[in-house]
Amino acid sequence: MALLNPAGTAATPPDRGVAPGPRVLLSAREDQLDSVLALARVAAHLGDLRRTGCSDLEPPPAAALICDDSAATERLLALGVPVVHLRSGSDAPSAEETPTGRALVRTHRPGWLPGSPSRGARPTGVLAPRRAGRSPARAGTLVLLSLWRVPADEAGAFTSGALRELADASLRRTGSCTVVADTGLGLVRSALAGRQGVRVVRAADADTDALHAGADVFLASPVLGALALAQARRAPLALLPPLGPAQRTLAAQVAEVLPLPSVDDPGDPALWSPPLAAGPWHLLDSALDDLRGAQRVARTLRQLALAPL
């Protein structure tokens, strides 16, 4: 478990001439891209609440936001800390991933996604980035790669084959390539070693939303955090081949609603010249999702911190 905040550094209370807000604990699974993105987007709406990590429990925080780590949620509940437990992803949780009923469980799930939400969890809707704008001087390619729970043989074959081809094509077409990955960093770095203009960043160390704002081409694994980023900014997105059962399930659900392009042929010129129009996002029913999921989770955490149950 690790503390994340929007700046990626130790949080300090703002100097506004008033007493700082209550202290809240923030923690996410660093090896799961969706978990990292979810926590960062909620944290951006916490205002003057002071943030801490799991290594600082004395005195106990007023409340906690835990993304996807049920064991951490159970430990904090045992200490009497009110917890908002945020699940990332659309797959049904296993028994060990489901915290007790004492936590307030939320699930990041867009309203437009087919299927039913998990039992006992309230859907949050889309966790959009705080800022919807993109840089007018965009350049390069951003690749969001999730290898979380991907079988080792699939991960190895993809990184040594398709990922290399994509990185080489992105250098030729856009001049640079940034790969943000959650786990399997050794595989990724080994596969892309020696390529000038390619950098590999661990998801927990990256400001992914800012990287997307400055990138011209966006390629991503089928994960909800990437979909939310493109939907909120009405930005073009091409999906990497789904890896592992969870990504294949989500990709199939998305395909029922959205005709997103897939990264099948790195030599396809259309992949590197995304349209200026909004893409397929206009096909979504705006009444199904207001993009304010992160604000709702932050509001719930603030209520727990200011008036614990």
Side-chain angles (χ1 to χ4, degrees):
M1 296 179 297
L3 168 68
L4 298 178
N5 64 30
T9 59
T12 55
D15 183 10
R16 298 177 182 170
V18 297
R23 191 168 62 102
V24 294
L25 185 148
L26 307 180
S27 183
R29 290 189 59 110
E30 291 189 346
D31 58 349
Q32 184 180 356
L33 180 59
D34 263 338
S35 186
V36 171
L37 295 178
L39 184 59
R41 289 176 190 162
V42 175
H45 295 279
L46 292 180
D48 62 351
L49 293 181
R50 294 174 295 151
R51 298 93 183 273
T52 188
C54 289
S55 61
D56 184 13
L57 296 177
E58 291 296 338
L65 171 64
I66 303 295
C67 294
D68 300 287
D69 191 340
S70 291
T73 291
E74 297 291 357
R75 288 195 295 272
L76 288 164
L77 290 173
L79 294 174
V81 178
V83 177
V84 178
H85 183 90
L86 178 59
R87 288 197 63 254
S88 308
S90 59
D91 55 317
S94 62
E96 62 270 17
E97 293 173 325
T98 305
T100 66
R102 293 178 295 151
L104 298 181
V105 183
R106 302 291 183 265
T107 296
H108 177 198
R109 183 181 178 83
W112 52 263
L113 191 68
S116 302
S118 304
R119 290 184 178 180
R122 179 182 300 175
T124 66
V126 170
L127 300 178
R130 185 175 179 87
R131 292 178 174 82
R134 300 174 71 200
S135 170
R138 298 186 298 274
T141 299
L142 173 63
V143 178
L144 291 190
L145 175 61
S146 178
L147 296 179
W148 180 70
R149 289 187 173 174
V150 173
D153 56 343
E154 276 194 75
F158 176 80
T159 54
S160 63
L163 183 61
R164 284 177 176 172
E165 295 176 9
L166 282 174
D168 291 340
S170 69
L171 289 177
R172 293 193 302 270
R173 298 282 187 168
T174 70
S176 65
C177 179
T178 298
V179 179
V180 175
D182 48 14
T183 188
L185 273 295
L187 281 175
V188 176
R189 290 193 172 107
S190 177
L192 302 180
R195 287 167 170 77
Q196 296 296 320
V198 175
R199 63 172 177 152
V200 178
V201 186
R202 191 173 69 124
D205 299 329
D207 186 342
T208 300
D209 294 350
L211 289 173
H212 176 259
D216 189 38
V217 175
F218 184 33
L219 315 176
S221 297
V223 294
L224 290 176
L227 291 166
L229 188 54
Q231 179 186 349
R233 290 176 171 170
R234 292 294 194 262
L237 165 64
L239 294 179
L240 300 174
L243 302 173
Q247 290 185 25
R248 282 190 281 273
T249 297
L250 179 57
Q253 291 174 331
V254 171
E256 294 182 33
V257 183
L258 286 174
L260 289 174
S262 58
V263 184
D264 298 320
D265 179 13
D268 183 358
L271 183 65
W272 309 106
S273 300
L276 297 178
W281 306 110
H282 68 280
L283 298 175
L284 298 177
D285 185 349
S286 59
L288 294 177
D289 220 316
D290 61 8
L291 303 179
R292 292 185 292 185
Q295 291 97 312
R296 281 190 287 272
V297 176
R299 188 181 308 118
T300 299
L301 182 64
R302 176 177 290 276
Q303 289 169 345
L304 283 183
L306 295 174
L309 297 177

